[in-house]
Amino acid sequence: MAPRWRKATRDLMARPGRTALAILALVAGVFQVGAMLYKFALLQPELTTMYGRTDPAAAVFTTDGVTDEVVDVVRHVPGVGVAEARPVVIARVRKGDAEWIPAAVSVIRDFDAQQIDTFKPEAGAWPPGRDEIVLERSALEFSHIAIGDTITLRLPGGEDRAMRVAGTVYAAGLAPAWMEHVVPGYVTWDSPVRGAADGSGESAQIRMRVADHAFDEGYVQEVADSAQAALERAGHVVSRVTIPPPGKHPHADQMAAFLFLLLTFGILSFALSMLLVTGMIHGLMIEQVREVGVMKALGATDRQVAAIYLGQVAILAAVALVIGTPIGLFVGRAYAEFSAGILNVDLTHRPFPLWLLLAEFVLGVVLPLLVALIPIRRAARISVHEALSDGAGARAFGERPFERTLLSIRALPRPLALSLRTALRRPGRVGLTVAMLAVGGAAFMAALNTAAAWNGAVEADFAHRRYDLTVVLVEFQATAELDRILAAVPEVAHAEYWPGASPYLVGPHGVSTVTATMLGPDPGSELLRLPLTAGRWLEPGDLDAVVINQSVVQNHPGLGVGDSVGVRQRGRTTRFPIVGIVKEIAPTPAIYAPPGAVRGVTGRVPGESRSIRVVSRSHDDAGQLRAARALETAFEAAGIEVTGMHRMLDQKKGILDHLVILISILTMASLIVVIVGAIGLASTLTVSVVQRTREIGILSAIGATPGTIAWQVTFEGLLLAVLSWLAALVLSIPLSFGLEYAAGMIFLRVPLPFSLSPSAAGTWLGLVVVLALVSSFYPARRATGLSVREALGST
Amino acid sequence: MINVRGLTKAYTHSAGAFHALRGIDLDIRPGEFVAIVGKSGSGKSTLLNLLGGIDRPTTGIVRIEGTAIESLSPTELARWRGRRVGFVFQSFQLLPTLTVRENVMLPMDFAGYGPERGRSARARELLDQVGVADQADKLPAALSGGQQQRAAIARALANDPPLLLADEPTGNLDSATGGAIFSLFATLVTAGRTIVVVTHERDADSGVQRRVTLADGAVVA
């Protein structure tokens, strides 16, 4: 081997600590990109194709029955490819004496011949027996139910059925149960549960797929309209037609956001790694200036000198590639499996990532070489005289205005002034390190800020709903009777009966579009006061005035106070003047109207209700639970069947859980960026110690103790950390704004109110200080471990 | 003042041990101006480093004012050095980010010398004593070599140490400036300070009271 190549390798081996740090920085880059790309490679095909593989329904008709005759009516409509009866029983489930949990039980005609919204066997029996049920797999952990357990299913008629959980299935088309807080279950056609579906118009569903143009929403709408007309012509009542966005998973937006964030952070962290490599190579070249001068004095050309150091970078990068790639792939797969578990996705496609290895090579070896070219070329071009003169490569302190400003601060004690000036002596390196840490910190704070904004928005929204429970009864009951029952329940402080409906929103051209929630709170009620963005809230004396939420406006842009909104129910369209617009976090359209107006839509009469808003004596979780149980008992004793008992704290948790995945990916990704920043900080401090070796020797010679010298290095680390914190604070403002806006729009269709959490800034400050202390440890130890003789370079 | 007995220093290399000093015995009285001379590699800088406690002997004893410095911990040694020894280096070694005055004040800060508010005035006084008071608020880079070495001597005197050790202090200076530095040392000796200077043969007559010659790690004259 030529001596110059021996020099390249021996230089690396002569400084094992420094070499290890450089490799670590490169490993961090290779690892992150590998992990992120592999995770993306594993998840992306699943997330984009899994929904399609379930043959999702193009339209769902809620009708008055699910007989073969009804299905045939739909099946024979031109354009309909497949039609299938899929009664869904909205029930409640519990294991033993545990709390009731909402459940959606689908009745399946033939488990082995599913054509629409298909699901696969996962564990246990397939199909279940007559008195058995299989649950969607994501429901087990959330509901604390296991295969083999016997659960109680409370059906809409109030009947309780003991059913054995025979197994689990995987329904990729459903949102995970933990997110929706509903247990999806499946029973066979001969199950006694089907009786409950036959008796309830709400649960009788016919699903259809179109023969072609499956992704043309307009075409699907046309075919669905034809099918609805055909059903009505055949004498059936179609109470609801739902057309899910074609080919779009219920949580497709979250998944898209998830993948986008993955890639963004992968690219960001790699860019930071490259900055880190640049900084390290720059530091290395400063150390080597004298040797460069000697080699050039001996006749080496610029190219020959550059080749030696590029060779060093190539060796470092190759070692990092060998270490970082398998770790990246391993962690990427583990992380993909973790995310897949949260999203209820199966990783069926596990290719050996050949393209990824190529990408890793390009990013892990070629790019660092290109990045290193700049500082190496600059160093290789130095003149022999400049390289060999004392203080080679170093610019005199005090030439820059900033340095002169630092000099003018005379009030500082000398050791502190020395630390400060030394730390800020090389602004390029300081800027690089500060930028690396700041980007990680800003991302970290933005994640926490978004979580805080989300929590704040949900809390604020729920604060406007001052009731604790919503009780839904199977049948309408006389409110006088309900009053009597509620009066006997000591846990109930107050209750109101609000009529509700689920009509279609009617668009400007008279076409019914999406379903809206229509609610009739008492205009004088204190239980619901939503924040207004325009107009006013309902007032006593209002007869047909309504208040709409922002989602109605998003569905029908242009609607405002003074306009009217149309709703269609029971084949009849009614228009209401809009007097106010409210902002709430619900993504679904909602119309708030006087009770009489809602009854006008549903055709019900005053003095009866099946929906009760209850204020419990105690508003905490235990208090709500006590009230819910007491109400269950009271209604059961009165022979009144309850179909839904929704606790507000539970609903709030459901909404909060939607952001868990986003925040987790964001926090984890930003922490990886932070780790790269910390390596950068350690590298910067090590380079600083190396460059100041002689200075440290002088300090020792004139009486500085090891503690003083260690403090000098630690101070530099802390100063950089605090500067990065300040920069991160500034950077986190636009980042948080963007993220909060995006999170709000993706999940709630309304931007989250901009919020900066002081605890996020505090947490990051604490973390970055700890990082600085940890990162300073090795360089400080190295500085104090230098013998004065060595440091002064004398023999 | 300085008592050295049986001092050896060996460096271990892959080629074997190199004995920089071989059994040095040396006594230096208070107020003496001693030059250590010898050829390159004779061990004179090593001896100076051992006298100043910036290196540890392999065997032997170095007593300065009765203190066996090899028995001190690194922190004790640093404190002792700060108060009792002043160093002057060949390449001045002023800290580039501190002004000349701040460089002189720094050892006082480390040693906690005198009242804090009096340190600036003392630095000025010392700089005046060595003839560079007008450069006090400049950065070292703005000074000539001779001026920097004078400032370095002022810094070495900051804590009023009884012992001044100088390692080829004129090695980077022209002969006229070097002569001026030796004259300054002579003045300091007159004021009662002990000075040990490692230097070349040619400078060893500039007011030096005693010459110790080393060859191959041993005192030969």
Side-chain angles (χ1 to χ4, degrees):
Chain A
M1 192 191 286
R4 62 174 182 273
W5 300 124
R6 279 195 212 131
K7 172 183 163 39
T9 50
R10 286 180 190 169
D11 275 0
L12 293 175
M13 288 189 285
R15 308 285 292 275
R18 183 95 168 74
T19 303
L21 205 61
I23 291 175
L24 195 63
L26 285 160
V27 165
V30 170
F31 157 76
Q32 286 166 76
V33 172
M36 293 293 181
L37 283 182
Y38 193 31
K39 184 180 176 190
F40 184 84
L42 287 172
L43 278 177
Q44 196 266 349
E46 299 298 343
L47 295 184
T48 48
T49 60
M50 67 170 189
Y51 186 58
R53 291 202 298 268
T54 66
D55 298 319
V60 179
F61 304 91
T62 306
T63 64
D64 54 354
V66 285
T67 59
D68 288 347
E69 179 260 324
V70 182
V71 176
D72 281 344
V73 170
V74 177
R75 194 174 285 145
H76 291 123
V77 171
V80 172
V82 184
E84 200 174 275
R86 176 70 70 88
V88 178
V89 179
I90 303 302
R92 291 189 297 157
V93 67
R94 77 172 173 187
K95 179 181 154 188
D97 290 334
E99 200 184 346
W100 288 105
I101 307 168
V105 182
S106 300
V107 185
I108 307 300
R109 167 73 81 172
D110 184 348
F111 271 67
D112 293 315
Q114 303 168 52
Q115 290 179 295
I116 300 176
D117 289 335
T118 59
F119 51 90
K120 298 185 298 183
E122 177 81 8
W126 173 276
R130 187 177 176 279
D131 291 313
E132 292 179 334
I133 186 169
V134 287
L135 302 181
E136 210 293 321
R137 65 180 186 182
S138 65
L140 292 191
E141 197 179 332
F142 148 72
S143 62
H144 305 294
I145 296 171
I147 296 173
D149 284 350
T150 298
I151 56 170
T152 307
L153 207 59
R154 178 159 287 181
L155 301 171
E159 178 194 358
D160 283 351
R161 281 233 159 237
M163 303 201 79
R164 184 178 166 275
V165 178
T168 54
V169 298
Y170 172 40
L174 291 183
W178 67 267
M179 230 184 237
E180 298 299 311
H181 285 225
V182 172
V183 175
Y186 300 88
V187 294
T188 53
W189 201 252
D190 62 347
S191 168
V193 172
R194 186 160 72 92
D198 285 343
S200 165
E202 281 296 311
S203 56
Q205 290 189 1
I206 309 288
R207 301 185 180 204
M208 69 122 186
R209 282 195 289 123
V210 288
D212 38 31
H213 309 300
F215 298 105
D216 183 342
E217 196 166 1
Y219 176 72
V220 170
Q221 179 79 55
E222 275 177 33
V223 176
D225 284 347
S226 304
Q228 182 184 359
L231 282 167
E232 285 170 350
R233 273 198 308 275
H236 299 289
V237 175
V238 179
S239 53
R240 186 190 293 254
V241 181
T242 308
I243 299 175
K248 197 171 173 188
H249 188 277
H251 283 173
D253 290 335
Q254 277 119 308
M255 291 173 185
F258 181 78
L259 290 173
F260 172 74
L261 284 171
L262 267 185
L263 271 190
T264 306
F265 270 88
I267 292 166
L268 181 69
S269 50
F270 190 76
L272 287 176
S273 292
M274 286 303 104
L275 286 177
L276 183 56
V277 170
T278 314
M280 295 196 78
I281 301 298
H282 182 68
L284 181 82
M285 294 318 296
I286 288 173
E287 281 179 56
Q288 292 283 320
V289 164
R290 274 177 192 278
E291 294 191 25
V292 168
V294 171
M295 286 189 285
K296 292 186 84 170
L298 296 173
T301 63
D302 292 1
R303 278 178 178 231
Q304 285 169 327
V305 170
I308 291 171
Y309 295 104
L310 282 174
Q312 281 191 350
V313 176
I315 293 169
L316 293 173
V319 172
L321 191 70
V322 170
I323 299 171
T325 304
I327 303 175
L329 295 184
F330 177 78
V331 171
R333 173 170 289 191
Y335 199 13
E337 279 168 359
F338 166 75
S339 306
I342 290 179
L343 293 168
N344 199 25
V345 178
D346 260 352
L347 296 182
T348 55
H349 187 65
R350 297 184 183 210
F352 183 74
L354 274 176
W355 65 267
L356 202 142
L357 290 182
L358 185 68
E360 286 269 55
F361 178 77
V362 171
L363 295 169
V365 176
V366 178
L367 207 57
L369 281 171
L370 290 175
V371 163
L373 209 53
I374 302 159
I376 287 176
R377 265 185 59 156
R378 195 167 47 209
R381 284 181 173 177
I382 194 168
S383 72
V384 176
H385 171 72
E386 199 185 341
L388 292 179
S389 60
D390 199 32
R395 182 185 45 77
F397 184 79
E399 287 177 4
R400 293 181 170 143
F402 169 68
E403 292 168 345
R404 286 195 285 277
T405 309
L406 275 179
L407 278 170
S408 66
I409 307 170
R410 294 288 163 92
L412 293 174
R414 254 74 52 203
L416 189 63
L418 179 66
S419 301
L420 190 67
R421 291 174 200 174
T422 307
L424 301 176
R425 193 172 166 187
R426 292 182 173 83
R429 197 172 65 198
V430 167
L432 205 64
T433 312
V434 165
M436 276 191 292
L437 274 175
V439 169
F444 182 82
M445 281 195 272
L448 292 189
N449 283 335
T450 306
W454 182 271
N455 278 323
V458 173
E459 291 291 345
D461 189 82
F462 275 75
H464 298 302
R465 301 164 205 274
R466 297 169 196 154
Y467 48 92
D468 299 289
L469 295 156
T470 301
V471 185
V472 184
L473 307 174
V474 173
E475 302 287 346
F476 280 84
Q477 304 289 333
T479 50
E481 170 68 0
L482 293 175
D483 280 341
R484 190 187 61 75
I485 295 168
L486 294 172
V489 180
E491 285 82 0
V492 173
H494 176 70
E496 292 184 9
Y497 310 108
W498 297 351
S502 301
Y504 288 114
L505 268 184
V506 177
H509 307 297
V511 181
S512 53
T513 53
V514 294
T515 311
T517 299
M518 199 169 179
L519 201 60
D522 183 342
S525 173
E526 290 298 320
L527 300 193
L528 189 68
R529 284 294 156 122
L530 298 172
L532 289 153
T533 54
R536 64 170 176 84
W537 184 244
L538 300 172
E539 289 173 357
D542 280 338
L543 292 176
D544 59 356
V546 298
V547 173
I548 59 173
N549 74 355
Q550 82 288 338
S551 184
V552 175
V553 180
Q554 277 161 354
N555 277 281
H556 297 296
L559 273 188
V561 173
D563 296 331
S564 70
V565 60
V567 298
R568 184 175 171 80
Q569 179 138 346
R570 297 187 300 140
R572 201 161 53 88
T573 297
T574 318
R575 299 202 74 85
F576 297 99
I578 301 166
V579 295
I581 300 172
V582 292
K583 185 178 159 189
E584 57 182 341
I585 60 167
T588 49
I591 299 167
Y592 299 94
V598 180
R599 285 191 202 101
V601 169
T602 57
R604 307 300 310 190
V605 293
E608 60 168 26
S609 178
R610 58 183 287 254
S611 176
I612 313 162
R613 259 68 182 180
V614 175
V615 180
S616 55
R617 292 270 173 220
S618 170
H619 309 297
D620 59 11
D621 199 46
Q624 286 191 358
L625 202 57
R626 270 199 309 277
R629 286 185 173 155
L631 283 166
E632 292 271 7
T633 309
F635 282 120
E636 201 168 336
I640 293 174
E641 294 154 6
V642 176
T643 188
M645 179 80 70
H646 309 294
R647 293 193 296 122
M648 291 302 274
L649 287 175
D650 218 25
Q651 293 191 352
K652 190 159 74 177
K653 188 171 181 305
I655 295 174
L656 290 174
D657 283 351
H658 273 70
L659 205 66
V660 166
I661 185 93
L662 186 73
I663 297 300
S664 77
I665 170 83
L666 215 58
T667 310
M668 286 177 82
S670 60
L671 280 177
I672 291 176
V673 177
V674 166
I675 290 166
V676 176
I679 295 171
L681 182 58
S683 158
T684 299
L685 295 177
T686 308
V687 169
S688 174
V689 168
V690 168
Q691 288 179 328
R692 290 163 56 201
T693 298
R694 187 171 283 206
E695 192 173 300
I696 289 165
I698 300 164
L699 290 175
S700 296
I702 63 172
T705 61
T708 311
I709 290 165
W711 163 244
Q712 292 256 327
V713 177
T714 308
F715 175 84
E716 187 173 345
L718 287 172
L719 181 71
L720 294 179
V722 170
L723 285 176
S724 83
W725 179 73
L726 290 171
L729 265 186
V730 175
L731 198 59
S732 73
I733 295 171
L735 202 60
S736 301
F737 181 82
L739 203 59
E740 287 169 17
Y741 181 87
M745 291 308 287
I746 288 171
F747 294 108
L748 305 171
R749 294 188 186 164
V750 55
L752 293 177
F754 179 55
S755 150
L756 293 174
S757 156
S759 71
T763 306
W764 176 240
L765 178 62
L767 198 60
V768 82
V769 164
V770 171
L771 277 178
L773 293 174
V774 172
S775 304
S776 311
F777 180 76
Y778 168 72
R781 213 177 68 157
R782 182 183 168 138
T784 53
L786 287 169
S787 80
V788 185
R789 183 185 59 80
E790 284 169 347
L792 291 170
S794 56
T795 54
Chain B
M1 176 78 191
I2 300 175
N3 308 106
V4 174
R5 291 291 174 270
L7 197 65
T8 66
K9 179 68 185 177
Y11 297 106
T12 309
H13 298 298
S14 52
F18 166 71
H19 293 273
L21 294 178
R22 303 163 186 267
I24 302 275
D25 293 327
L26 180 67
D27 292 304
I28 296 173
R29 292 185 304 278
E32 211 175 355
F33 186 5
V34 177
I36 299 173
V37 295
K39 289 181 181 168
S40 181
S42 59
K44 47 189 194 298
S45 289
T46 306
L47 177 60
L48 197 77
N49 288 341
L50 294 176
L51 295 181
I54 60 176
D55 203 357
R56 302 263 185 185
T58 306
T59 59
I61 297 168
V62 178
R63 279 185 195 281
I64 313 278
E65 296 176 304
T67 305
I69 60 172
E70 61 274 12
S71 65
L72 301 177
S73 71
T75 302
E76 288 168 339
L77 195 60
R79 291 204 177 115
W80 170 81
R81 202 163 42 224
R83 287 186 171 276
R84 309 308 297 168
V85 183
F87 268 100
V88 179
F89 303 98
Q90 179 179 354
S91 49
F92 328 132
Q93 308 286 23
L94 293 170
L95 297 173
T97 56
L98 297 183
T99 63
V100 169
R101 186 205 301 262
E102 287 170 334
N103 263 285
V104 178
M105 291 163 76
L106 193 61
M108 301 184 221
D109 294 330
F110 287 146
Y113 182 87
E116 204 172 325
R117 65 180 63 171
R119 289 175 193 164
S120 179
R122 173 166 172 75
R124 177 96 195 173
E125 192 183 302
L126 289 168
L127 288 168
D128 191 35
Q129 199 180 328
V130 298
V132 287
D134 54 335
Q135 309 294 323
D137 293 322
K138 290 182 181 171
L139 288 166
L143 273 62
S144 70
Q147 287 172 322
Q148 286 195 50
Q149 195 58 299
R150 282 169 184 273
I153 293 168
R155 183 179 65 181
L157 298 171
N159 292 331
D160 197 17
L163 176 63
L164 217 63
L165 300 174
D167 191 359
E168 300 198 31
T170 57
N172 281 346
L173 302 175
D174 58 59
S175 55
T177 314
I181 294 293
F182 265 85
S183 299
L184 182 58
F185 282 151
T187 313
L188 293 170
V189 170
T190 310
R193 230 168 288 266
T194 308
I195 297 181
V196 180
V197 59
V198 165
T199 188
H200 295 292
E201 294 278 349
R202 61 180 162 83
D203 294 323
D205 295 328
S206 313
V208 172
Q209 297 165 352
R210 180 151 68 107
R211 193 156 68 164
V212 175
T213 306
L214 293 188
D216 296 328
V219 176
V220 291

